[in-house]
Every structure is written in structure tokens, then in C-alpha cells.
Amino acid sequence: MCLNRGCIPSKALIASAAEYKRMKEAEQFGLKLATPPIYDWLAMRTRNDKIVKMLTGGIGQLFKSHGVDHYQGYGHVSGKDYVTVVAEDGSETKLKARNIIIATGSRAASIPGVAIDGHRIVTSDHLLELENLPASMLIIGAGVIGCEWAFMLAMLDVKVTVVEMLDRALPMEDVSTSKQIERELKKLKVDVHTKTRINQVTPGPQGVTAELAGGKKVEANQVLVAVGRRFNVEEMGLEEIGVKMNKNGSIKTNQSMKTNIDNIYAIGDVRGEILLAYTAVHDGTVAVDNALGEKAKKNYLGVPSVIFTHPEVASVGMREEEAAEKHSIAIGKFPLRTLGKAHAENEIAGEVKLIGDKKTDKLLGAHIVGVHATEIIHTCALAINQGMTVKQLGSLIFGHPVISESIMEAAHDLHGMSVHLARKRK
Ligand code: NAD
């Protein structure tokens, strides 16, 4: 999923959209383009398809080199020690297995009154296969997928409207992050309606009409539904062998990735805990270690969140609200507009915000909005994973000029010691 329809293709398209935006801003770099830039959506898709093909082909090679047999087809657990694979031509292969790991992931969810038809009302999977970009798009849900696509489409000159039922875009992130992201969406002329539900979406010949709660109507050529995920657990023989499920329909496991059936493990989205490709990889390592007789447990301490909006968003640890409930906290901030390298890159939007424990000085959370946020967050992730203090983080001599200096500056600011920020009045 990550390679075929998830992380990689969407990031390749986001890179194209960002490049197009930068070309439009060429004059700010002292460059003059002979003609205004235009983009070619199909060429962007071709580039994308090539990247995906190369990477998925690479996996086939890795399977071969590690002696992994690959059966293509629909698999189901056909007994505690058996998996049956039904191929496209209907032929069945029954495999005996000492251990079984279920890694079937999730798929886009929908909401009542909004029937996904793959044409007018689509998921992010369908968007990757569009022949043409629509002139306007209504996005339901301002979570990770909704926001990533809102930025990408708006950078490609699509008129975007976003409807989110909670009170802010990216509601899972720190409030300060949502504020900055909403501001940046506004700069790209994206209409964001928060605290708003959709009553109904009616497809028509030219597009769709959406009725928002409160009666307001929004017209758009297409609707992207990005309201979360459903777990791929159906018709897999799980009920028959008595695998226990969580209330939300995902598979219940313990910290070792084991289900209630001793030799059956589940990893990744289908467990319903964190829906991320990189935690799924960690889960997989834990499951395999246990299947091989070791005693491994998951360790999610310091898992970063990385969101490919423009500017990017990345965070790790606690949000301010949660930290303030549990600790007496101190906050350090450093805006990118104060940083030389951000000006050199012409990317001055965003800030680094660090949250520390006032008593112990332990780093509790880091929230970064800005260029390369998804890369530089890992310094903070390591600090949280290793239980470091803000002072320790700020005492590292960072390279110069680099964007990650903003982490050092925010750490200094938390102690009132950032020399590149005006002194705060006591
Ligand atoms: P999400 O949970 O991130 O966001 C869904 C949003 O839709 C929420 O803000 C929710 O309040 C809103 N919503 C739900 N019902 C609604 C309704 N009826 N009307 C209006 N708004 C409504 O889910 P997603 O964006 O679909 O992403 C799915 C998963 O994939 C997430 O867990 C995400 O972490 C993961 N993902 C991660 C990345 C990344 O790491 N960069 C990228 C894409 C997806």
C-alpha cells in the first residue's frame, strides 16, 4: 500500500507540485523564466508510476534474494496452521504455516450520504489515477490525507474547499500547528470550514453539490473523501478461528503483536493503534522476533508524526494541552523567519516549538512546521526516545546554516537564552 498507493506516489506528486510552485516564485530567487511555468499532470503521473514500478520491482528482487516465496491472490486463514490463497484464475493453494502474520492494512472509510463512486466522489487512491485534474475539489476531512492533498491540489491551481467536523485542521496535532497550517491554506486560497459536517453530496453531470450542516451548499467538480480508514479484516477466516477484535473493528493484539491465538500475529494498520507505514515496519520486526522464539515488545516511544503539507508538519511526544495536564511545562519557540537558512531557501513560514518539563527539564514534545520539518524532527525524536533534557538538546553544536538550527534555538529560548530572539521582558 505504502509503495503502490500511499506514501511514495503521493510524495512524488507533492514534490512535483512543490517544484511547480517554486518555479512560479522564480523571480524571488533572481531568476527570470522565458515563459510562465505550466504543469503536465499526465507527465507527473508517468514519473510517479516509474518510481512506484522501480520500488515495487525492487521488493520482488529482495523477496528472491532472501528466499521468500510470494503467492499472488486473496489469502484467508483456513485453520490455525493454514493459509489458503485464491489466485485470480480461481485456483487455490493451501499453505501450512507454523506462524501466521496478518498485515492486511486498511482502506478509505466513507460517511453516510457520501457514496464513493470512483468518479465524482473519490478517495486518495482514485486521485492517483486521474486523467485530468478537476478545476475544483471539495475535500471532506482535514486530517493527514485531506491536508496533504489540499496543499498539493491548491499548489496545482485547483480551487479547493475543505470541510472538517472538528474545530481545526489537523486536529490530531498541536493547536499551534493547526493555526499555522490553516493560515498557509488560506494563503493558497483554500476555503476551510471547520466544525462543519456534510449532510449529503449529490453527484450531477458537471460535478457535485454538497450540502453542509446549516444548509450552505458547495459546488465542486469532485469530492475527495478523507475521513479515516476501515480495517481489512473481512472474509479472512478470522471469525471462524476465533481471532478477537477491538471495538473499532481492528484486530486485537498484545504488545508482542500476538492475537489471542498463539501462533497468529497482526501488525500495522489492521491493529488499529497507529496507522503509519513506519510503525507497521516496527510491528513486523516485533512479530517476527516473537515468532522465532524471542521475547520482543513494541516500543513506540518517540515515534514522530510527519505530514507532507507545504510547509511540512512534524511532531513527536506530547501536545501542549496534554503536557500541561500532566506536568508543569516550559515552552521554547523559534520562528523560521528569524533563521538565515530559511531565508536562503525562501521558505520562512513556520516555527519550532519545544515543550519541556519545568522541574526535570525533560523534553516532552516537539512540534515543527516548516521546510524540511519531516527530516529535522528526528533529532527531537531521538531526544524523547532517550529521555534527554532540553538543555542536552540545546547544547549540541548544530551545523550552520541549516534549518535544524531552529531546534537548538527553540531549546535555548525555552531557557530564555536564545541570542537570536529579542530578550523577553521579565
Ligand atoms: P485522519 O484520521 O488523519 O483524518 C480524518 C479527518 O476527517 C479527521 O480530522 C476527522 O475529524 C475528519 N472527519 C471524519 N468524519 C468527518 C465528517 N463526516 N465530516 C467532516 N470531517 C470528518 O484520516 P485520513 O486523513 O483519512 O488518513 C488516514 C490515516 O492514514 C491516518 O491515520 C494517517 O495518519 C495515515 N496517513 C499518514 C500519512 C503520513 O504519515 N504522512 C499520510 C497519509 C495518511
Side-chain angles (χ1 to χ4, degrees):
M1 172 68 188
C2 163
L3 281 185
N4 284 312
R5 279 171 280 135
C7 322
I8 301 300
S10 60
K11 271 65 216 181
L13 288 174
I14 289 169
S16 292
E19 216 47 47
Y20 171 63
K21 180 173 182 280
R22 272 173 93 82
M23 284 175 81
K24 288 202 279 188
E25 292 162 0
E27 283 200 16
Q28 294 174 23
F29 286 87
L31 304 171
K32 276 212 160 74
L33 298 181
T35 54
I38 48 171
Y39 69 82
D40 177 343
W41 171 251
L42 285 184
M44 284 165 57
R45 272 195 47 203
T46 306
R47 169 179 180 270
N48 216 5
D49 295 345
K50 261 195 211 156
I51 296 171
V52 171
K53 209 167 161 196
M54 189 258 294
L55 294 172
T56 46
I59 292 217
Q61 290 303 322
L62 285 174
F63 275 167
K64 265 190 204 150
S65 80
H66 288 279
V68 177
D69 294 330
H70 173 206
Y71 293 83
Q72 192 149 9
Y74 195 94
H76 63 271
V77 182
S78 47
K80 194 173 156 305
D81 307 305
Y82 291 96
V83 170
T84 298
V85 184
V86 183
E88 217 177 328
D89 63 4
S91 61
E92 289 193 7
T93 313
K94 192 166 184 176
L95 305 165
K96 183 159 173 54
R98 201 183 309 155
N99 292 290
I100 298 170
I101 298 177
I102 299 165
T104 45
S106 64
R107 61 186 186 278
S110 192
I111 48 173
V114 185
I116 294 165
D117 60 12
H119 180 56
R120 293 268 176 239
I121 305 179
V122 298
T123 68
S124 56
D125 293 354
H126 299 117
L127 287 187
L128 295 171
E129 277 153 28
L130 283 185
E131 293 294 318
N132 295 299
L133 281 186
S136 57
M137 177 76 78
L138 167 65
I139 300 181
I140 310 179
V144 180
I145 294 182
C147 282
E148 288 189 353
W149 278 92
F151 275 94
M152 187 203 307
L153 293 170
M155 286 193 291
L156 294 173
D157 309 325
V158 175
K159 176 71 196 121
V160 179
T161 305
V162 182
V163 175
E164 165 59 49
M165 69 176 184
L166 297 181
D167 62 348
R168 56 200 174 90
L170 294 181
M172 69 298 280
E173 294 293 329
D174 196 81
V175 174
S176 62
T177 298
S178 299
K179 272 193 196 143
Q180 294 175 76
I181 282 304
E182 283 177 12
R183 195 183 312 135
E184 295 302 318
L185 282 168
K186 212 171 183 185
K187 282 190 202 160
L188 287 169
K189 302 193 169 42
V190 175
D191 285 332
V192 183
H193 302 265
T194 50
K195 288 198 217 152
T196 308
R197 278 177 187 268
I198 297 263
N199 281 342
Q200 201 175 356
V201 174
T202 319
Q206 297 304 316
V208 292
T209 306
E211 191 193 308
L212 312 187
K216 190 175 175 201
K217 291 203 166 129
V218 175
E219 310 251 325
N221 296 112
Q222 270 184 324
V223 179
L224 165 63
V225 182
V227 294
R229 313 283 296 177
R230 290 184 59 188
F231 309 105
N232 293 330
V233 292
E234 298 89 350
E235 291 170 46
M236 280 173 47
L238 302 178
E239 247 175 62
E240 287 82 341
I241 59 161
V243 172
K244 281 199 180 144
M245 302 300 220
N246 294 311
K247 275 197 189 125
N248 64 2
S250 57
I251 298 177
K252 191 170 190 165
T253 67
N254 64 14
Q255 307 258 317
S256 309
M257 303 300 137
K258 252 186 206 181
T259 66
N260 57 309
I261 312 254
D262 203 38
N263 65 326
I264 300 186
Y265 297 82
I267 62 170
D269 282 20
V270 79
R271 290 197 320 108
E273 187 179 353
I274 300 191
L275 281 65
L276 293 170
Y278 42 103
T279 45
V281 171
H282 173 77
D283 292 358
T285 315
V286 172
V288 169
D289 282 349
N290 286 312
L292 295 177
E294 285 181 32
K295 296 224 175 307
K297 281 191 180 164
K298 69 164 184 154
N299 176 8
Y300 285 171
L301 184 62
V303 174
S305 152
V306 290
I307 305 178
F308 296 84
T309 43
H310 200 96
E312 294 180 347
V313 166
S315 65
V316 60
M318 293 182 209
R319 295 179 298 181
E320 181 179 340
E321 229 177 7
E322 184 192 354
E325 269 168 29
K326 298 180 179 162
H327 304 260
S328 162
I329 59 168
I331 290 185
K333 285 186 183 177
F334 196 78
L336 289 197
R337 64 173 183 280
T338 319
L339 193 73
K341 185 64 187 318
H343 281 276
E345 293 201 18
N346 198 35
E347 298 281 1
I348 57 168
E351 71 175 15
V352 173
K353 168 175 170 180
L354 299 181
I355 305 166
D357 185 311
K358 242 187 196 162
K359 278 192 211 126
T360 63
D361 196 39
K362 262 204 178 167
L363 181 64
L364 300 173
H367 301 274
I368 307 180
V369 178
V371 64
H372 310 316
T374 59
E375 298 289 342
I376 70 174
I377 191 67
H378 295 89
T379 312
C380 301
L382 184 66
I384 287 191
N385 180 277
Q386 295 298 310
M388 282 167 63
T389 61
V390 176
K391 189 159 188 205
Q392 284 172 320
L393 180 61
S395 67
L396 182 71
I397 300 174
F398 282 69
H400 173 81
V402 292
I403 299 293
S404 50
E405 278 174 278
S406 50
I407 293 174
M408 175 186 75
E409 295 282 0
H412 292 172
D413 180 57
L414 189 141
H415 298 127
M417 300 292 285
S418 174
V419 289
H420 293 107
L421 289 177
R423 199 168 197 149
K424 287 173 193 154
R425 280 201 208 134
K426 296 244 162 117

